[in-house]
Amino acid sequence: QRNQESKNSRLSSIREEVISMDETLANGFGGERSPRFPSVFSVIASFILLSMGFTSLIYTLPLLDFVARSRREERMKVFLPSFLLVVGRSIYYSWGLENFLLWLVLDLYVPLSLLAAGFIWSIQRKGGIGTRLFWSMVPSALAALILGVVFFMDRALFDAFYLSMKDAFVSIMGGMLDSLGIVGDVDFLFTLMSIVVGVFTFPVILGASCVSIFYYENRRHSKETHWDDVVAALEFNTNTIWLLILFLFLFLLGRFMPMPLALSILFMSLVVSMILVYAIQGFAVLMAWIRNRGLGLRSPQLLFILFIVSFLIPGLNIIVLIGVPLLGILENFFDLKTRRKK
């Protein structure tokens, strides 16, 4: 009990310092704070990242960088033009296609979800990380829910969309396999791809949003000496674990009783999303251990190392991808940050 009281006191002190720091940043340090580059450069850089394909998931970084270095009320200088550019780009690419409106909505889903997450996070001034992250992801979740309901209510529309996607996939993948001399079941590959896309689309949006949000907060607080202590103190409400348990139970339930494939995909996606959430808490545990040992590694450096290991080093990446979320889950029960310090 004394350990818990000490931990709560330490976290309360850090939160008060962060609130004070937020107020100072929100006021622009007495009106003297101004971004180095005009907002138009940030919008252009963002649009270029979006158009390059492989960098599209981090296209909000230039926008959040501008917001982090300017007054809060200036965020519309970058978010509104970016919104118009994203919509205009999707209209251009979707124009003339059959079911134009459907393709437009699908093409806008990911970029607008990322844009909404960054904008909503930047306008929130109060609340814990769990609350702020929840509200940041609400537009993406609601859009996916509405799209699912539309498909469920209009089966003909879904069938037309599914068949058009399948025809395009078979045309491209079939030609590719033939050119390589590989015999494969293209229909099975399309079904597998559909499941993968359904499971990982929302978690990918969540993960990309978290990276952008971390970059934004790090830019705002980079000059603060205790910023890494704030990162190390990050934690979610202990009751959040019940969401992971519930989604995992519902997913496993489909292994023992008939369940529509769409529901299995939904529950699996939610499980992966919750694992990603606890990876954030696991990252905080690692940062706390580093700070307790007095090492000079900063939180952005640690994140970069974890990314390199996760994507470029086979074998070790499995340890990171499993170990970091596991640390976050165990922290929920055993207070690993304090135990490691002792």
Side-chain angles (χ1 to χ4, degrees):
Q1 185 178 359
R2 287 195 300 270
N3 290 339
Q4 187 63 32
E5 291 175 354
S6 175
K7 178 184 177 182
N8 292 338
S9 176
R10 175 170 57 87
L11 292 176
S12 177
S13 175
I14 292 176
R15 289 192 186 101
E16 291 176 358
E17 292 176 359
V18 173
I19 292 173
S20 176
M21 186 164 51
D22 283 346
E23 292 175 350
T24 301
L25 290 167
N27 293 329
F29 291 110
E32 298 178 358
R33 196 178 190 204
S34 60
R36 181 177 300 177
F37 300 105
S39 60
V40 64
F41 291 163
S42 298
V43 174
I44 293 173
S46 173
F47 187 73
I48 291 174
L49 290 176
L50 176 63
S51 303
M52 292 176 66
F54 66 94
T55 58
S56 59
L57 290 175
I58 56 172
Y59 87 99
T60 59
L61 289 185
L63 310 180
L64 292 172
D65 181 79
F66 175 86
V67 175
R69 294 179 288 106
S70 60
R71 292 175 176 270
R72 288 180 181 269
E73 58 268 19
E74 294 183 328
R75 67 174 64 87
M76 294 305 296
K77 290 183 178 180
V78 291
F79 278 107
L80 181 58
S82 294
F83 171 80
L84 296 176
L85 282 174
V86 169
V87 174
R89 173 181 175 273
S90 293
I91 291 176
Y92 174 79
Y93 285 116
S94 303
W95 191 262
L97 296 177
E98 187 178 357
N99 295 318
F100 161 75
L101 186 59
L102 174 62
W103 286 107
L104 177 64
V105 170
L106 292 174
D107 191 56
L108 286 172
Y109 175 65
V110 173
L112 287 190
S113 293
L114 296 172
L115 192 67
F119 177 77
I120 292 175
W121 180 275
S122 69
I123 65 176
Q124 296 181 88
R125 301 190 182 186
K126 296 182 180 180
I129 179 176
T131 302
R132 296 179 69 185
L133 187 59
F134 170 79
W135 288 113
S136 297
M137 299 309 299
V138 162
S140 178
L142 283 179
L145 179 62
I146 293 172
L147 189 61
V149 171
V150 170
F151 277 146
F152 179 78
M153 299 295 293
D154 192 343
R155 184 69 185 184
L157 178 64
F158 174 77
D159 290 340
F161 165 72
Y162 184 84
L163 290 176
S164 63
M165 288 291 295
K166 184 176 181 179
D167 291 341
F169 181 85
V170 170
S171 175
I172 296 173
M173 184 59 66
M176 186 181 300
L177 293 178
D178 290 340
S179 64
L180 296 174
I182 300 175
V183 178
D185 189 343
V186 181
D187 291 339
F188 171 76
L189 291 177
F190 176 75
T191 302
L192 181 62
M193 185 207 69
S194 301
I195 294 174
V196 170
V197 170
V199 169
F200 288 100
T201 296
F202 184 79
V204 166
I205 294 174
L206 174 60
S209 298
C210 289
V211 171
S212 299
I213 288 169
F214 177 78
Y215 174 82
Y216 166 73
E217 292 294 342
N218 186 68
R219 288 289 287 163
R220 293 181 65 217
H221 305 303
S222 59
K223 295 182 179 180
E224 304 295 331
T225 56
H226 61 280
W227 166 239
D228 286 325
D229 291 326
V230 175
V231 175
L234 291 177
E235 61 180 24
F236 294 95
N237 189 297
T238 54
N239 291 324
T240 306
I241 192 66
W242 290 108
L243 288 176
L244 174 59
I245 294 173
L246 173 63
F247 296 148
L248 185 59
F249 170 77
L250 292 174
F251 172 70
L252 293 177
L253 191 63
R255 307 302 95 190
F256 301 100
M257 60 177 293
M259 180 181 293
L261 179 61
L263 284 181
S264 296
I265 292 175
L266 171 63
F267 295 141
M268 184 59 183
S269 181
L270 292 173
V271 169
V272 175
S273 298
M274 290 306 303
I275 290 174
L276 183 57
V277 165
Y278 276 102
I280 300 173
Q281 187 160 288
F283 178 81
V285 172
L286 291 177
M287 199 64 228
W289 290 353
I290 290 172
R291 299 296 290 176
N292 292 341
R293 288 179 171 271
L295 302 178
L297 193 66
R298 302 293 303 275
S299 54
Q301 296 169 337
L302 175 61
L303 182 62
F304 178 76
I305 291 173
L306 292 177
F307 267 121
I308 293 297
V309 173
S310 298
F311 292 104
L312 298 181
I313 304 180
L316 287 179
N317 59 350
I318 302 299
I319 297 176
V320 172
L321 294 174
I322 296 177
V324 175
L326 184 60
L327 282 177
I329 294 173
L330 293 177
E331 166 67 13
N332 203 68
F333 300 100
F334 300 110
D335 192 13
L336 300 179
K337 300 174 185 177
T338 304
R339 288 173 178 269
R340 188 72 177 184
K341 186 174 182 179
K342 292 180 178 182

